Amino acid sequence: MSTGPTHAMSGLAAWAAVTALAEGHNLGSLSAKGWLVGAVLATGAALLPDLDHPESTVSSTFGPVTQAASKVFNGISHGVYRLTRTKRDSNRDGGHRGLTHTLVFALIATVVTTAIIQTSQSWALPVLMFFFSGLAVRGIMHKWCPRNDALWITGTALLLTYACLKWTDQTTADAAACGVAVGIGCIAHYLGDAITEQGCPILWPVPIAWKTWFPIAPPKIMRMRTGGRVEMTLVGPALTVVAVWMSAIALHRTGVLPMLDGVPLAPWS
């Protein structure tokens, strides 16, 4: 997997890019407040797939709660792997890079998020914002306060959620946009994992080379080592630049950055 900061930044960059390029469509016409909600969800969702690994950094985000959830995710993922693997797939133990690392899971996460917000608008958004804020903080500050980090992350997530919802002044949201933001974050995670040495079974259960869990990846020469020099000096900084640039375009379109009027931010327009 890529490191937490890279995954988190990839989620923000992907959300910003999609909304910046979606001019004329629903995602391209979000208000600044709606865009911010989506940005928080996408950034946190870019860490969500790694809940299938009980020893991953993100599994300890909220202490025993997420550690227990991680064991459940891991068990389900491992079970699905064992049931659907072919003879060509490896006979591995554990569920990491299994079900939660597929487009099927991204679609499920999108639909579930949308449905929760549609059916329980009064409390769903604050709860989801808190959860995904915590994942985002854990991803970005993955080495922060190692002894009591779950308490610090929980407190920080509460503050971020309160501040965000206070500014947006809404307990409701565009449910479909929120669902799409979570799906975008998950897909950003998959792409980040796909360019690492192990690849990512994004297209499960589509059989490729007689494997249902075929690890999608570029040629070996184009893959990077997790936490290696390429990720830390090239991929991470590049994603940060893209995230800032695309966010500026998307937010300028909402009218909150009038100082950028006349600046050629989007060469394709």
Side-chain angles (χ1 to χ4, degrees):
M1 69 188 79
S2 298
T3 59
T6 302
H7 273 318
M9 195 55 62
S10 73
L12 176 58
W15 169 253
V18 169
T19 52
L21 295 170
E23 187 172 8
H25 301 278
N26 288 342
L27 288 180
S29 58
L30 291 172
S31 66
K33 297 175 180 181
W35 186 92
L36 176 62
V37 170
V40 172
L41 295 178
T43 303
L47 280 300
L48 181 63
D50 275 346
L51 277 178
D52 68 356
H53 194 323
E55 296 182 3
S56 67
T57 302
V58 71
S59 69
S60 61
T61 299
F62 296 116
V65 175
T66 41
Q67 287 173 344
S70 182
K71 291 180 180 179
V72 173
F73 272 76
N74 181 267
I76 294 174
S77 184
H78 181 55
V80 172
Y81 182 87
R82 300 291 295 180
L83 286 172
T84 61
R85 75 181 187 90
T86 68
K87 293 181 179 179
R88 294 291 185 94
D89 290 302
S90 62
N91 185 21
R92 71 184 191 188
D93 291 324
H96 183 47
R97 292 207 184 185
L99 179 62
T100 62
H101 285 69
T102 68
L103 289 176
V104 172
F105 179 80
L107 178 59
I108 293 172
T110 298
V111 172
V112 169
T113 300
T114 302
I116 288 174
I117 294 178
Q118 284 179 334
T119 59
S120 306
Q121 293 184 348
S122 61
W123 59 265
L125 184 60
V127 170
L128 289 174
M129 288 285 285
F130 167 71
F131 176 70
F132 285 110
S133 291
L135 295 187
V137 172
R138 163 59 84 185
I140 295 172
M141 307 292 289
H142 65 302
K143 294 183 179 180
W144 181 34
C145 194
R147 291 186 179 180
N148 301 301
D149 52 2
L151 292 175
W152 281 103
I153 288 171
T154 299
T156 303
L158 284 171
L159 288 174
L160 287 175
T161 300
Y162 175 79
C164 185
L165 293 178
K166 187 70 173 179
W167 180 70
T168 58
D169 192 27
Q170 59 183 43
T171 54
T172 61
D174 185 329
C178 290
V180 169
V182 171
I184 287 173
C186 289
I187 292 172
H189 182 105
Y190 306 156
L191 296 177
D193 277 359
I195 61 173
T196 62
E197 295 169 324
Q198 293 176 292
C200 186
I202 303 172
L203 298 180
W204 174 87
V206 177
I208 301 175
W210 294 279
K211 295 181 179 181
T212 51
W213 295 94
F214 184 85
I216 303 298
K220 288 186 177 181
I221 194 172
M222 299 175 63
R223 302 181 201 179
M224 67 179 189
R225 182 172 59 85
T226 299
R229 184 176 300 176
V230 173
E231 178 182 352
M232 306 310 292
T233 63
L234 181 61
V235 177
L239 283 172
T240 302
V241 171
V242 171
V244 173
W245 178 30
M246 293 294 114
S247 295
I249 294 173
L251 288 172
H252 177 256
R253 190 178 296 151
T254 68
V256 300
L257 297 176
M259 71 288 295
L260 296 179
D261 289 344
V263 178
L265 293 173
W268 59 83
S269 61

